[in-house]
Amino acid sequence: MQLSLGPLLYYWPRDTVLRFYEDVATMPVDTIYLGEAVCSRRHELRLPDWLALAQDLRSAGKDVVLSTQVLVESGPDATTMQRIAANGDFMIEANDMGAVQALTSLKKSFIAGPHLNLYNQPTLTWMAGLGAQRWVAPLEMQQADLKQMQASRPAGLQTEVFACGRMPLAFSARCFTARHLNLNKDDCGFSCIHHPDGLLLQTREQQDFLVLNGIQTQSAKVHNLIAQVPVLQEMGVDVLRISPQSVHMREIVQVWRDAIDGKRTVPEAESALEPLLVAPSCNGYWHGKPGMEYVSAA
C-alpha cells in the first residue's frame, strides 16, 4: 500500500511552501499532489512555480500529480485548467468535470479526484472508460459502500482513500474568510494567508464546528482512519492520502508509514498520531455515523 500527500489546501507564504516541499522530498511518501485546488486568487505560487517544484520532487524520487481547481469560476480559471491538462510531463488529478472533459479530449489518463462524487459502480466504470487510472473515494463514503465498490471496480483501476486531514466538505462562489472579516471577495486582502490551518468556526455553545478556508468549508475535526489501516489493506485499497497541515508533518507521515508497514500496532499508531494533529480526530462517516464522531479501534 502506498502513501500520498494531497494538495496543499491552505494559503501559505511562498517561502513557507517551498521549505515545506523541500522537507517533503525526504519524507516516506510515494506520491505528492501539487497545485492550487481551492482559490484562483492565491498567487504566492503560479503554474510555472508548481511545475518547477514538481520537477524537483520527481528528481527526489517522488511520483508527482498536478491537481486542478475544484470550483472553476471564470475564463482565466478555465484557461489555467486547460494548461494543466495539456502539460506533457505529469499526471493530473481532475477535480471537476471540465478537467475530465479536457483530459478526455486530449486522450490522457488521469486520477479522478474526491470531488467528482463517484458513489456507485456504473459511474465508476464510466469514469474508467474516460481514462481514469485511479479514483479517490468521496469523503463521506462509508466502509460498507467502499467494500462493495472494491468488489466490482473495473480491472486496472486503483483506489485511493482520503485517510487523514480536515475534510474539505463544500465549496462556494462566496469567500467565507473574507465575509467573516467584512471584506469583499475581490478585495479580500488575501486574508486566509493569516490562517495556516484555516479559520475555526464555533457554535453558540462554543463547540468547534467547521473551519473556513476561503471559498472552502472544512470539518473542524481531523478525519483520521489510522485505526482502519488493516481493514483498508484487506479491501485492496492501493493508496492512502494525508492532507497537509502546518505542523508535525514529518512525524505524521512516519506514523502512517509505520502503520502501513506493520511496524506499529493499531493502538500504538492511534496513540502516536493523535497529539500530532491540529484538532481532535473524527471518523464517523466511515462507520455510517455523523462525521464528527470518532470510533476508536478499542
Side-chain angles (χ1 to χ4, degrees), residues 47 67-69 72 74-87 92-103 106:
L47 181 55
S67 294
T68 66
Q69 196 170 315
V72 178
S74 66
D77 288 357
T79 298
T80 298
M81 179 270 289
Q82 295 280 356
R83 290 175 62 197
I84 294 172
N87 97 90
I92 307 300
E93 178 187 44
N95 280 312
D96 86 311
M97 287 306 299
V100 172
Q101 182 180 27
L103 291 158
L106 294 168

Side-chain angles (χ1 to χ4, degrees), residues 121 124-129 135 149-158:
Q121 191 273 334
L124 191 60
T125 299
W126 173 66
M127 192 61 63
W135 73 295
M149 296 280 278
Q150 285 293 89
S152 57
R153 65 173 165 167
L157 181 68
Q158 293 185 331

Side-chain angles (χ1 to χ4, degrees), residues 21-218:
Y21 284 109
E22 183 179 1
D23 194 26
V24 167
T26 61
M27 294 181 191
V29 292
D30 304 287
T31 300
I32 300 171
Y33 290 80
L34 294 178
E36 180 51 60
V38 178
C39 179
S40 60
R41 287 181 55 78
R42 297 175 174 180
H43 288 152
E44 289 288 299
L45 274 75
R46 298 176 184 267
L47 181 55
D49 300 310
W50 289 116
L51 290 170
L53 193 52
Q55 292 287 359
D56 291 343
L57 290 168
R58 174 184 280 176
S59 298
K62 305 301 183 183
D63 181 24
V64 180
V65 179
L66 300 179
S67 294
T68 66
Q69 196 170 315
V70 175
L71 185 60
V72 178
E73 299 183 75
S74 66
D77 288 357
T79 298
T80 298
M81 179 270 289
Q82 295 280 356
R83 290 175 62 197
I84 294 172
N87 97 90
D89 291 328
F90 299 99
M91 179 66 69
I92 307 300
E93 178 187 44
N95 280 312
D96 86 311
M97 287 306 299
V100 172
Q101 182 180 27
L103 291 158
T104 301
S105 67
L106 294 168
K107 296 180 170 30
K108 296 181 67 173
S109 59
F110 59 93
I111 295 170
H115 305 291
L116 294 183
N117 298 324
L118 305 177
Y119 283 103
N120 56 61
Q121 191 273 334
T123 308
L124 191 60
T125 299
W126 173 66
M127 192 61 63
L130 294 177
Q133 72 169 33
R134 183 190 303 164
W135 73 295
V136 186
L139 304 177
E140 302 91 343
M141 183 166 282
Q142 59 182 293
Q143 176 181 346
D145 293 337
L146 181 60
K147 185 176 182 179
Q148 185 176 3
M149 296 280 278
Q150 285 293 89
S152 57
R153 65 173 165 167
L157 181 68
Q158 293 185 331
T159 297
E160 181 169 347
V161 170
F162 186 103
C164 186
R166 277 182 163 147
M167 292 181 287
L169 299 172
F171 294 80
S172 170
R174 168 172 284 184
C175 176
F176 292 109
T177 303
R179 181 69 183 89
H180 173 76
L181 299 171
N182 293 318
L183 299 171
N184 293 323
K185 180 181 177 181
D186 292 336
D187 189 24
C188 65
F190 307 103
S191 52
C192 53
I193 203 168
H194 303 299
H195 305 282
D197 291 295
L199 179 61
L200 184 64
L201 177 68
Q202 294 182 315
T203 66
R204 292 178 181 273
E205 293 76 26
Q206 304 302 307
Q207 293 180 333
D208 297 347
F209 180 47
L210 296 170
V211 162
L212 306 181
N213 180 36
I215 67 169
Q216 182 188 74
T217 302
Q218 298 181 326

